[in-house]
């Protein structure tokens, strides 16, 4: 296992050698939750597909209709799908709705429907490579089928580890929000077998963190074919110097601490409300941006207890960037699940750092090391609202310290979180994989 770096070949030669250098590759990119920056969800797949297209490859990206995502297509639906060009690549969007607020059963059905639709696409065109980006893990099914039936190599990107993630959530105490959406054990076992197959048969496994990479190794991935490509941010879009925006009704003297992300069981946002209960009358207000199954209950509690918390609907990335530029502190919060320490690679962290915000976080492990090494934030123990409130007050009352940490945040983002550089490294991995994948045949085995 190693971090993918410029000039490194995933196989045995140099990047630029072999068929990848001679002609553009035909790449099928599977990402059910794809969005352009016009949406409010992650844009990593957009950045990577655009970089591959700019490098001269013919990219077709298949996605579903994820809540908060914007595919860039606005044409009519025909037979449950529509397609068109976005940023230099083809997008095929299936009319399959999915979102964090859906029940587990509804989301599972959406995962399987997308896998079936994507499998038809994977098997009916001559691809040189399939990129399957999980979550959900079922996105690996079309890639595995294309490899088995057509000999098409694939790259498996693991954003969230399954079944490890739902297993960890199932082990949460009931009072902390766990054991309410338990995945049946036979389903977890099946997902484990699927993850094993994907990690073992992929030409390359891309992980967002070293902790996720270790899980891939435990599931049988070849250490020479595991790459860590971290989460990145658009450093031009998320920038401390862009025009700021603050929500209506927020006073200029208030200190805003912003959390922007999912409002689900895994996020443990009740901890933020617990801290807010200790912050009444301090001039500090928490702003929670996003959606999820837990949001109605959180909003009801905040209203009943008159907490200094403002809830906003998901914002397009351009609007979110302006909110971060107008805030004073960024928030990172997860449920107190020990396994999250090395698995989490949240957009909310890299985007807030790129915006030059000092962070207050309750996530140990990788995120804590980033904040410590960059001098750009404070980490408190998970499940400790007193420490969380104290950290927020410490930054709210010390503008000089906030400014110093904000500078450190931007420097940290520039050094290791530039989405353009990470996308360029993905292009190198793709080209090296297709130049040296065992048994590769032009046309994906057609």
């Amino acid at each position: 296992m190693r971090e993918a770096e410029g000039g490194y070949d995933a196989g045995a030669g140099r990047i630029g050698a072999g068929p990848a250098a001679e002609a553009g590759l035909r790449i099928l990119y599977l990402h059910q939750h794809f969005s352009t920056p016009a949406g409010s969800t992650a844009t990593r797949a957009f950045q990577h597909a655009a970089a591959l297209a700019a490098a001269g490859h013919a990219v077709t990206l298949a996605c579903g209709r994820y809540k908060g995502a914007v595919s860039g297509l606005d044409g009519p639906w025909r037979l449950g799908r529509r397609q068109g060009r976005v940023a230099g690549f083809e997008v095929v969007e299936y009319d399959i709705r999915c979102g964090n607020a859906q029940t587990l059963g509804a989301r599972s059905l959406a995962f399987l429907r997308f896998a079936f639709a994507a499998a038809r696409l994977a098997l009916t065109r001559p691809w040189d490579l399939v990129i399957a980006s999980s979550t959900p893990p079922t996105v690996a099914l079309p890639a595995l089928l294309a490899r088995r039936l057509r000999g098409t190599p694939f790259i498996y990107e693991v954003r969230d580890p399954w079944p490890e993630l739902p297993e960890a959530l199932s082990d949460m105490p009931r009072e902390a929000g766990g054991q309410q959406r338990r995945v049946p054990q036979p389903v977890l076992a099946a997902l484990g077998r699927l993850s094993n197959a994907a990690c073992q048969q992929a030409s390359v496994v891309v992980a967002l963190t070293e902790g996720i990479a270790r899980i891939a190794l435990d599931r049988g991935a070849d250490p020479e074919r595991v790459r860590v490509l971290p989460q990145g941010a658009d450093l031009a879009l998320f920038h401390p110097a862009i025009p700021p925006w603050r929500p209506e009704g927020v006073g200029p003297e208030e200190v805003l601490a912003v959390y922007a992300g999912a409002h689900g069981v895994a996020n443990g946002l009740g901890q933020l409300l617990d801290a807010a209960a200790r912050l009444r009358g301090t001039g500090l207000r928490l702003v929670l941006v996003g959606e999820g199954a837990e949001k109605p209950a959180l909003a009801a509690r905040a209203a009943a207890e008159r907490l200094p918390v403002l809830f906003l609907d998901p914002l397009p990335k351009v609007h979110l960037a302006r909110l971060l530029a107008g805030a004073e502190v960024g928030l990172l919060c997860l449920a107190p699940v020990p396994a999250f320490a090395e698995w989490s690679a949240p957009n909310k962290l890299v985007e807030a750092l790129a915006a030059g915000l000092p962070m207050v976080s309750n996530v140990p492990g990788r995120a804590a090391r980033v904040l410590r090494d960059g001098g750009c934030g404070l980490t408190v123990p998970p499940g400790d609202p007193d420490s969380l409130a104290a950290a927020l007050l410490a930054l709210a009352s010390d503008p000089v310290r906030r400014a110093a940490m904000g500078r450190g945040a931007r420097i940290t983002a520039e050094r290791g979180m530039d989405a353009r550089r990470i996308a360029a490294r993905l292009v190198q991995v793709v080209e090296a994989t297709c130049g040296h994948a065992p048994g590769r045949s032009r046309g994906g085995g057609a």
Side-chain angles (χ1 to χ4, degrees):
M1 178 186 74
R2 68 179 68 185
E3 190 168 333
E5 310 228 71
Y8 181 75
D9 188 331
R14 298 291 298 176
I15 288 173
E22 299 169 5
L25 297 164
R26 291 169 290 193
I27 300 170
L28 175 60
Y29 198 140
L30 305 177
H31 184 50
Q32 187 167 352
H33 303 339
F34 166 78
S35 181
T36 70
S40 59
T41 63
T43 58
R44 179 180 172 99
F46 170 82
Q47 293 154 350
H48 288 184
L52 287 164
H57 304 300
V59 180
T60 297
L61 188 143
C63 65
R65 298 182 68 181
Y66 189 60
K67 181 68 178 295
V70 175
S71 69
L73 304 181
D74 56 10
W77 298 92
R78 293 187 177 89
L79 300 177
R81 59 180 268 179
R82 61 184 176 181
Q83 64 189 82
R85 302 287 293 177
V86 174
F89 57 92
E90 191 79 8
V91 173
V92 177
E93 182 180 12
Y94 294 98
D95 190 10
I96 301 172
R97 296 180 183 273
C98 189
N100 289 327
Q102 286 180 320
T103 65
L104 179 61
R107 292 183 72 195
S108 299
L109 179 59
F111 295 165
L112 291 172
R113 289 180 60 204
F114 179 78
F116 177 77
R120 292 184 61 187
L121 184 59
L123 295 174
T124 54
R125 294 194 197 173
W127 306 107
D128 294 307
L129 178 74
V130 174
I131 301 174
S133 183
S134 163
T135 292
T138 44
V139 77
L141 288 169
L144 286 165
L145 282 172
R147 184 185 184 280
R148 180 179 180 84
L149 299 178
R150 300 180 65 88
T152 310
F154 72 94
I155 291 175
Y156 183 50
E157 179 178 64
V158 188
R159 296 170 179 244
D160 297 305
W162 285 62
E164 289 81 5
L165 179 61
E167 284 180 323
L169 289 174
S170 295
D171 290 339
M172 287 171 56
R174 185 176 296 275
E175 59 269 19
Q179 301 182 348
Q180 297 178 21
R181 301 176 72 181
R182 181 180 289 275
V183 180
Q185 192 59 42
V187 175
L188 291 175
L191 290 174
R193 291 192 293 271
L194 175 60
S195 295
N196 288 345
C199 290
Q200 293 167 16
Q201 297 184 39
S203 296
V204 172
V205 176
V206 171
L208 270 66
T209 73
E210 293 81 0
I212 295 175
R214 284 192 290 272
I215 289 175
L217 295 175
D218 291 341
R219 292 199 169 276
D222 182 347
E224 292 300 314
R225 294 187 175 277
V226 176
R227 301 287 177 270
V228 176
L229 293 180
Q231 194 68 275
D234 184 335
L235 298 187
L237 176 61
F238 290 92
H239 195 288
I242 67 172
W245 172 79
R246 288 164 73 91
E248 185 178 354
V250 172
E253 74 287 349
E254 289 187 270
V255 173
L256 294 188
V258 175
Y259 169 91
H263 292 43
V265 171
N267 307 103
L269 299 187
Q271 298 169 92
L272 295 184
L273 269 59
D274 293 340
R278 294 155 170 79
L279 295 170
R280 294 186 185 93
T282 63
L284 201 156
R285 189 188 297 218
L286 276 57
V287 180
L288 275 59
V289 185
E291 63 95 22
E294 302 297 302
K295 185 170 184 176
L298 292 167
R301 176 190 165 188
E305 299 181 17
R306 298 181 181 274
L307 300 178
V309 179
L310 174 64
F311 289 87
L312 297 179
D313 290 335
L315 296 173
K317 292 294 184 181
V318 173
H319 203 165
L320 175 61
R322 294 187 60 204
L323 172 62
L324 295 180
E328 283 75 33
V329 179
L331 285 169
L332 177 61
C333 182
L334 283 176
V337 177
F340 287 170
E342 300 301 332
W343 295 351
S344 60
N347 289 295
K348 62 184 74 67
L349 173 63
V350 296
E351 290 172 352
L353 292 177
L357 282 182
M359 299 293 296
V360 171
S361 167
N362 71 349
V363 182
R366 179 179 179 274
R369 293 192 296 272
V370 169
L371 299 184
R372 180 199 64 206
D373 295 346
C376 51
L378 303 175
T379 300
V380 302
D384 186 344
D386 290 326
S387 295
L388 187 55
L392 285 165
L393 276 175
L395 290 184
S397 60
D398 193 341
V400 174
R401 188 182 188 189
R402 286 203 313 268
M405 284 189 168
R407 291 190 292 273
R410 180 65 187 186
I411 292 170
T412 297
E414 290 174 345
R415 285 178 176 171
M417 300 174 180
D418 186 340
R420 292 173 301 175
R421 293 180 182 175
I422 295 167
R425 286 155 59 185
L426 185 276
V427 172
Q428 293 174 341
V429 170
V430 164
E431 292 178 347
T433 299
C434 290
H436 302 279
R440 177 186 182 277
S441 62
R442 182 68 180 172

